[in-house]
């Protein structure tokens, strides 16, 4: 029976001699929760975790495009779409996109994630020609304005190719490299950093009736398989980021289960990206129907993720998040 090990993460300078650092950060653990399908979880000492798991839980993550993974990085969301659930239509021109990019970088974003196809629940498919027309001019304009790392949020190899030509340096695929078979090979060929996200179904249908045998272990197994597939194509694990895909083919309880157990994903040996900004479950739990008024709830969940060792947080509200992060770091 396959065993999975979720480190019970702690922080603070006073730690036992047997404590192990988590992924090269200042977080640490002495014990882990051992999880198995169809068996009760149990607590084990770090010394009893198998060597392969222990190596991946503890080894420092390589820098991604020059960004250190030993400290939190903020990814600012910049959608070149008319229908994204929160900011659709705001950044459709190069001037508007550049202004937003400058502001995000000034407030602390180190990555700018540019998207040309909405992936909100129920969103329609966008042809690659239209997606390129939306994103490539904006990326080219932003690249001339700032040295920040630009990420292209796409499922399509043609869009990724056009984005890289314009100056993008990271490919963020919400389908986890399952939509376009050519995309993984392209990324491996140019040795581009990537983000592999889990999504059940596609944006048009993903919230119809999402079901899992065990959402935490099912998502882990999917990401593990896709990371291995990309490695098989020639992409080094140190250039792969993983994202559990909060809100993508998940119920509210699925989302909360993943958020409570995020530290499990360190067992993949990759940096973890967490994207919860302004999502529907934050509005429901936080009693805030206005999407653009969900910064407090979004920040609360992001900080909870950082406390479990998440390395990258994807946000709309960069200034507010950066301020909260500075206070969080000072108190810790």
């Amino acid at each position: 029976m396959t065993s999975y090990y979720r480190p019970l993460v702690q922080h603070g300078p006073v730690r036992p001699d047997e404590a192990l650092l988590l992924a090269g950060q200042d977080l640490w653990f002495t014990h882990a929760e051992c999880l198995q399908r169809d068996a009760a979880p149990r607590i084990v000492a770090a010394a009893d975790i198998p060597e392969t798991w222990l190596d991946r839980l503890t080894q420092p993550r390589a820098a991604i495009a020059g960004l250190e993974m030993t400290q939190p990085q903020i990814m600012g969301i910049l959608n070149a779409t008319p229908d994204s659930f929160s900011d659709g239509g705001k950044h459709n021109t190069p001037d508007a996109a550049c202004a937003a990019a400058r502001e995000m970088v000034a407030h602390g974003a180190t990555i700018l994630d540019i998207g040309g196809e909405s992936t909100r629940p129920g969103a329609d498919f966008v042809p690659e020609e239209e997606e390129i027309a939306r994103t490539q001019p904006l990326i080219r304009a932003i690249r001339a304005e700032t040295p920040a790392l630009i990420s292209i949020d796409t499922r399509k190899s043609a869009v990724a190719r056009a984005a890289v030509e314009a100056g993008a340096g990271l490919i963020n695929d919400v389908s986890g490299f399952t939509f376009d078979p050519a995309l993984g090979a392209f990324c491996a060929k140019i040795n581009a950093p990537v983000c592999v996200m889990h999504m059940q179904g596609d944006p048009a249908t993903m919230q119809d009736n999402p079901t899992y045998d065990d959402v935490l272990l099912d998502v882990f197994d999917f990401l593990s398989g896709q990371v291995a597939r990309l490695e098989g194509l020639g992409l080094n694990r140190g250039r792969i980021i993983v994202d559990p895909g909060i809100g993508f083919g998940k119920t509210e309880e699925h989302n909360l289960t993943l958020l409570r157990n995020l530290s499990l994903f360190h067992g993949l040996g990759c940096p973890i990206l967490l994207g919860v900004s302004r999502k529907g479950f934050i509005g429901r739990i936080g009693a805030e129907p206005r999407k653009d008024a969900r910064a407090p709830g979004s920040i609360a969940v992001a900080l909870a993720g950082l406390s479990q060792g998440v390395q990258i947080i994807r946000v709309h509200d960069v200034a507010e998040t950066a301020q909260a992060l500075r206070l969080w770091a000072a108190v810790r």
Side-chain angles (χ1 to χ4, degrees):
M1 184 181 294
T2 302
S3 296
Y4 306 76
Y5 296 88
R6 182 180 71 85
L8 303 179
V9 183
Q10 302 185 63
H11 68 86
V14 180
R15 58 179 184 258
D17 292 340
E18 69 272 19
L20 301 174
L21 294 182
L22 180 68
Q25 303 181 70
D26 61 355
L27 300 167
W28 49 271
F29 65 100
T30 59
H31 290 76
E33 184 181 37
C34 178
L35 301 167
Q36 296 175 325
R37 295 182 186 272
D38 302 318
R42 56 192 175 88
I43 303 301
V44 300
D48 295 326
I49 298 173
E51 186 176 350
T52 300
W53 270 88
L54 206 56
D55 285 347
R56 287 184 176 167
L57 289 173
T58 58
Q59 62 188 213
R61 306 300 183 241
I64 299 289
L67 298 178
E68 294 297 328
M69 295 293 108
T70 54
Q71 60 190 33
Q73 302 292 341
I74 297 175
M75 173 185 277
I77 300 167
L78 210 167
N79 287 315
T81 54
D83 59 340
S84 287
F85 82 100
S86 179
D87 60 349
K90 289 186 176 181
H91 310 120
N92 289 356
T93 67
D95 285 347
C98 284
R102 285 195 300 270
E103 185 175 7
M104 287 182 182
V105 172
H107 287 305
T110 53
I111 310 170
L112 300 170
D113 195 37
I114 315 298
E117 179 183 50
S118 176
T119 50
R120 61 177 173 78
D124 293 329
F125 177 83
V126 175
E128 61 185 30
E129 296 84 2
E130 175 63 21
E131 195 175 339
I132 291 170
R134 291 176 179 180
T135 57
Q136 190 180 48
L138 302 190
I139 292 170
R140 186 172 288 119
I142 292 168
R143 177 76 295 144
E145 291 269 342
T146 173
L149 174 61
I150 297 174
S151 166
I152 178 66
D153 180 356
T154 187
R155 304 181 282 170
K156 308 179 186 84
S157 56
V159 178
R161 189 175 294 108
V164 169
E165 289 172 358
L170 171 67
I171 289 82
N172 179 17
D173 182 359
V174 298
S175 81
F177 291 83
T178 63
F179 180 80
D180 182 349
L183 182 55
F186 167 71
C187 294
K189 181 179 179 180
I190 65 170
N191 200 31
V194 303
C195 182
V196 182
M197 196 192 84
H198 175 274
M199 174 170 60
Q200 187 178 92
D202 59 44
T205 63
M206 64 186 180
Q207 292 304 113
D208 288 352
N209 183 32
T211 57
Y212 297 86
D213 292 330
D214 181 312
V215 66
L216 180 63
L217 303 186
D218 289 356
V219 171
F220 183 95
D221 284 349
F222 169 84
L223 293 173
S224 178
Q226 292 306 100
V227 169
R229 189 173 76 83
L230 289 168
E231 280 190 305
L233 292 172
L235 195 62
N236 185 279
R237 187 175 292 253
R239 301 183 73 76
I240 302 173
I241 300 163
V242 295
D243 177 353
I246 302 298
F248 285 82
K250 281 102 178 168
T251 65
E252 185 171 298
E253 188 54 42
H254 292 150
N255 290 330
L256 292 174
T257 297
L258 290 168
L259 290 168
R260 293 181 188 116
N261 296 280
L262 284 170
S263 63
L264 175 71
F265 296 101
H266 292 292
L268 295 167
C270 303
I272 302 169
L273 183 149
L274 179 63
V276 297
S277 184
R278 300 184 181 179
K279 290 190 173 177
F281 80 98
I282 289 177
R284 289 188 296 274
I285 296 173
E288 179 50 79
R290 298 167 299 167
K291 297 179 180 67
D292 61 358
R294 295 176 185 167
S298 302
I299 291 168
V301 179
L303 294 181
L306 292 174
S307 294
Q308 293 194 57
V310 164
Q311 288 94 344
I312 304 170
I313 48 177
R314 184 178 183 271
V315 306
H316 294 88
D317 303 293
V318 171
E320 295 86 344
T321 302
Q323 181 186 125
L325 205 157
R326 287 192 290 271
L327 270 295
W328 173 82
V331 171
R332 290 207 322 150

